[in-house]
Short mmCIF file of all heavy atoms in Angstrom, two decimals:
data_model
loop_
_atom_site.label_atom_id
_atom_site.label_comp_id
_atom_site.label_asym_id
_atom_site.label_seq_id
_atom_site.Cartn_x
_atom_site.Cartn_y
_atom_site.Cartn_z
N LEU A 6 49.51 21.34 25.16
CA LEU A 6 49.23 20.20 24.28
C LEU A 6 48.77 18.99 25.07
O LEU A 6 48.05 18.14 24.56
CB LEU A 6 50.48 19.85 23.46
CG LEU A 6 51.00 20.97 22.53
CD1 LEU A 6 52.30 20.55 21.86
CD2 LEU A 6 49.96 21.32 21.47
N LEU A 16 53.46 24.61 24.59
CA LEU A 16 54.14 25.46 23.60
C LEU A 16 53.95 26.91 24.03
O LEU A 16 52.82 27.32 24.32
CB LEU A 16 53.50 25.22 22.23
CG LEU A 16 53.84 26.21 21.12
CD1 LEU A 16 55.29 26.03 20.66
CD2 LEU A 16 52.90 26.02 19.92
N CYS A 36 54.44 16.72 17.33
CA CYS A 36 54.49 17.27 15.97
C CYS A 36 53.09 17.56 15.45
O CYS A 36 52.87 18.59 14.79
CB CYS A 36 55.22 16.31 15.03
SG CYS A 36 56.98 16.21 15.42
N LEU A 44 52.97 25.16 12.93
CA LEU A 44 54.41 25.11 13.20
C LEU A 44 54.98 23.74 12.91
O LEU A 44 54.25 22.74 12.86
CB LEU A 44 54.68 25.45 14.67
CG LEU A 44 54.29 26.85 15.15
CD1 LEU A 44 54.42 26.95 16.66
CD2 LEU A 44 55.18 27.90 14.48
N ARG A 66 63.36 11.56 23.61
CA ARG A 66 64.38 10.82 22.82
C ARG A 66 64.04 10.87 21.32
O ARG A 66 64.88 11.23 20.49
CB ARG A 66 64.46 9.37 23.30
CG ARG A 66 65.39 8.52 22.43
CD ARG A 66 65.58 7.13 22.99
NE ARG A 66 66.61 7.09 24.00
CZ ARG A 66 66.49 6.61 25.23
NH1 ARG A 66 65.33 6.11 25.61
NH2 ARG A 66 67.49 6.61 26.07
N PRO A 75 68.06 22.22 21.16
CA PRO A 75 68.70 22.38 22.47
C PRO A 75 67.68 22.11 23.59
O PRO A 75 66.51 22.47 23.47
CB PRO A 75 69.16 23.84 22.49
CG PRO A 75 68.36 24.53 21.46
CD PRO A 75 67.91 23.50 20.45
N TYR A 77 67.01 22.79 27.55
CA TYR A 77 67.43 23.62 28.67
C TYR A 77 66.85 23.07 29.97
O TYR A 77 65.67 22.73 30.05
CB TYR A 77 66.93 25.06 28.48
CG TYR A 77 67.50 25.74 27.27
CD1 TYR A 77 66.86 25.64 26.03
CD2 TYR A 77 68.68 26.46 27.34
CE1 TYR A 77 67.38 26.27 24.90
CE2 TYR A 77 69.22 27.07 26.22
CZ TYR A 77 68.56 26.97 25.01
OH TYR A 77 69.09 27.58 23.90
N ALA A 85 70.44 13.97 35.42
CA ALA A 85 69.51 12.83 35.29
C ALA A 85 69.21 12.55 33.82
O ALA A 85 69.17 11.39 33.40
CB ALA A 85 68.21 13.14 36.05
N LEU A 86 69.04 13.60 33.03
CA LEU A 86 68.74 13.40 31.60
C LEU A 86 69.94 12.80 30.86
O LEU A 86 69.78 11.97 29.97
CB LEU A 86 68.34 14.73 30.95
CG LEU A 86 66.95 15.27 31.29
CD1 LEU A 86 66.71 16.60 30.60
CD2 LEU A 86 65.86 14.27 30.90
N ALA A 105 68.17 34.80 34.28
CA ALA A 105 67.50 34.79 32.98
C ALA A 105 68.47 34.36 31.88
O ALA A 105 69.58 34.88 31.80
CB ALA A 105 66.94 36.17 32.68
N PHE A 116 63.31 28.32 38.06
CA PHE A 116 63.34 28.46 39.53
C PHE A 116 63.05 27.09 40.14
O PHE A 116 62.28 26.30 39.60
CB PHE A 116 62.34 29.53 40.00
CG PHE A 116 60.92 29.30 39.55
CD1 PHE A 116 60.02 28.60 40.33
CD2 PHE A 116 60.47 29.79 38.32
CE1 PHE A 116 58.72 28.41 39.92
CE2 PHE A 116 59.17 29.60 37.90
CZ PHE A 116 58.29 28.89 38.70
N ALA A 123 65.12 14.19 40.66
CA ALA A 123 66.55 14.50 40.86
C ALA A 123 66.75 16.00 40.90
O ALA A 123 67.54 16.53 41.68
CB ALA A 123 67.36 13.87 39.73
N SER A 125 64.16 19.60 40.00
CA SER A 125 62.82 19.99 39.56
C SER A 125 62.72 21.51 39.54
O SER A 125 63.15 22.17 40.48
CB SER A 125 61.80 19.39 40.53
OG SER A 125 60.51 19.82 40.21
N CYS A 126 62.17 22.04 38.46
CA CYS A 126 62.07 23.50 38.38
C CYS A 126 60.81 23.92 37.63
O CYS A 126 60.19 23.13 36.92
CB CYS A 126 63.31 24.09 37.70
SG CYS A 126 63.51 23.63 35.97
N TYR A 128 59.37 27.55 35.33
CA TYR A 128 59.97 28.56 34.46
C TYR A 128 59.13 29.83 34.46
O TYR A 128 57.90 29.77 34.49
CB TYR A 128 60.05 28.05 33.01
CG TYR A 128 61.08 26.96 32.85
CD1 TYR A 128 60.72 25.62 32.88
CD2 TYR A 128 62.43 27.28 32.70
CE1 TYR A 128 61.66 24.62 32.76
CE2 TYR A 128 63.38 26.29 32.56
CZ TYR A 128 63.00 24.96 32.59
OH TYR A 128 63.95 23.98 32.48
N GLY A 132 58.87 38.23 27.61
CA GLY A 132 59.20 38.80 26.31
C GLY A 132 58.53 40.14 26.17
O GLY A 132 57.90 40.63 27.13
N LEU A 143 54.38 20.37 41.98
CA LEU A 143 54.83 21.16 43.14
C LEU A 143 54.41 20.42 44.40
O LEU A 143 53.22 20.21 44.61
CB LEU A 143 54.10 22.50 43.16
CG LEU A 143 54.52 23.62 42.24
CD1 LEU A 143 53.57 24.79 42.43
CD2 LEU A 143 55.94 24.04 42.52
N ALA A 153 59.16 33.91 42.23
CA ALA A 153 59.40 33.72 40.80
C ALA A 153 58.15 34.05 39.98
O ALA A 153 58.26 34.52 38.85
CB ALA A 153 59.83 32.29 40.54
N GLY A 156 53.77 38.80 39.74
CA GLY A 156 53.70 39.83 38.69
C GLY A 156 53.62 39.30 37.27
O GLY A 156 53.56 40.09 36.34
N VAL A 157 53.61 37.98 37.07
CA VAL A 157 53.48 37.47 35.69
C VAL A 157 52.08 37.79 35.16
O VAL A 157 51.11 37.86 35.92
CB VAL A 157 53.74 35.94 35.57
CG1 VAL A 157 55.21 35.62 35.74
CG2 VAL A 157 52.87 35.15 36.53
N VAL A 161 50.57 29.07 34.65
CA VAL A 161 50.06 27.70 34.70
C VAL A 161 50.50 27.15 36.05
O VAL A 161 51.70 27.08 36.33
CB VAL A 161 50.65 26.83 33.58
CG1 VAL A 161 50.11 25.40 33.67
CG2 VAL A 161 50.34 27.43 32.21
N ASN A 165 46.43 19.52 41.37
CA ASN A 165 46.49 18.08 41.10
C ASN A 165 45.31 17.31 41.66
O ASN A 165 44.73 16.46 40.97
CB ASN A 165 47.80 17.52 41.65
CG ASN A 165 47.90 16.02 41.49
OD1 ASN A 165 47.70 15.26 42.43
ND2 ASN A 165 48.17 15.58 40.26
N GLY A 197 44.42 27.22 45.10
CA GLY A 197 43.55 28.38 45.32
C GLY A 197 44.28 29.49 46.05
O GLY A 197 44.18 30.67 45.68
N THR A 229 36.99 25.10 43.48
CA THR A 229 37.81 25.38 44.68
C THR A 229 38.65 26.63 44.48
O THR A 229 38.73 27.49 45.36
CB THR A 229 38.72 24.16 44.98
OG1 THR A 229 37.91 23.01 45.10
CG2 THR A 229 39.50 24.37 46.27
N ALA A 236 36.98 34.99 47.39
CA ALA A 236 37.11 35.37 48.80
C ALA A 236 38.20 36.43 48.98
O ALA A 236 38.15 37.22 49.93
CB ALA A 236 37.43 34.15 49.65
N LEU A 238 39.43 38.65 46.41
CA LEU A 238 39.50 39.78 45.48
C LEU A 238 38.12 40.32 45.15
O LEU A 238 37.14 39.56 45.12
CB LEU A 238 40.16 39.31 44.17
CG LEU A 238 41.61 38.84 44.27
CD1 LEU A 238 41.93 37.92 43.12
CD2 LEU A 238 42.54 40.03 44.28
N GLY A 253 44.60 17.96 26.01
CA GLY A 253 44.76 19.21 25.28
C GLY A 253 43.91 19.26 24.02
O GLY A 253 43.06 18.41 23.83
#
Side-chain angles (χ1 to χ4, degrees):
L6 299 175
L16 167 71
C36 291
L44 297 171
R66 174 174 276 126
Y77 298 89
L86 286 179
F116 55 92
S125 175
C126 65
Y128 289 97
L143 282 176
V157 287
V161 179
N165 177 258
T229 305
L238 297 157

